[in-house]
Amino acid sequence: QVQLVQSGGGLVQPGASLKLSCAASGLTFSGNAVGWFRQTPGKEREFIAAKSGSGPVTYYSDSVKARFIMSRNNAENTVTLQMNSLKPNDTAIYYCATKAGFMHPALIRTAVKYDYWGQGTQVTVSS
């Protein structure tokens, strides 16, 4: 049984940094597509960042590019999302997600293409 468990999140002031983690059991992140999404009330899940497979390339949304960094630790079977220069409109519930196998880069921004999801973690950016 695949399970993704997230940690991190919380309340921070604008301009601060925060790190989210996602640990997997029942599946290894290495070689599989893995991504981060976020969601606010009344809106669909928004793509943040993803890796399509085992390659080094990370894809980012324009809204977080140059501020957020996604990393994968194969030894620990975790992925992290380092969020810097946070803004109030970054406030959302953040989710990690994965799918067994490679995912074409054209599909990685589509939430429904992922099979497994973390429980979500709240990030609030407010002064």
Side-chain angles (χ1 to χ4, degrees):
Q1 182 179 357
V2 177
Q3 190 174 16
L4 304 183
V5 178
Q6 297 179 222
S7 60
L11 171 64
V12 295
Q13 293 187 339
S17 297
L18 207 56
K19 189 174 185 178
L20 306 181
S21 294
C22 177
S25 59
L27 173 145
T28 57
F29 282 135
S30 176
N32 294 323
V34 57
W36 286 94
F37 290 77
R38 67 187 180 188
Q39 190 169 24
T40 54
K43 294 188 177 181
E44 294 186 354
R45 288 190 183 181
E46 175 192 4
F47 168 78
I48 297 298
K51 293 180 177 290
S52 60
S54 59
V57 178
T58 303
Y59 301 87
Y60 294 95
S61 69
D62 289 342
S63 62
V64 306
K65 204 169 188 177
R67 298 190 298 124
F68 290 12
I69 301 172
M70 176 182 175
S71 300
R72 177 170 53 201
N73 186 319
N74 293 335
E76 296 182 357
N77 204 26
T78 58
V79 292
T80 58
L81 185 67
Q82 177 67 44
M83 304 184 292
N84 302 317
S85 302
L86 283 161
K87 305 174 182 180
N89 61 6
D90 291 319
T91 296
I93 298 175
Y94 284 70
Y95 298 90
C96 61
T98 192
K99 173 183 172 62
F102 172 82
M103 189 187 306
H104 194 282
L107 302 176
I108 59 171
R109 292 170 173 79
T110 306
V112 296
K113 297 298 183 182
Y114 292 80
D115 296 325
Y116 307 104
W117 291 84
Q119 81 277 18
T121 185
Q122 177 71 47
V123 172
T124 303
V125 185
S126 176
S127 56

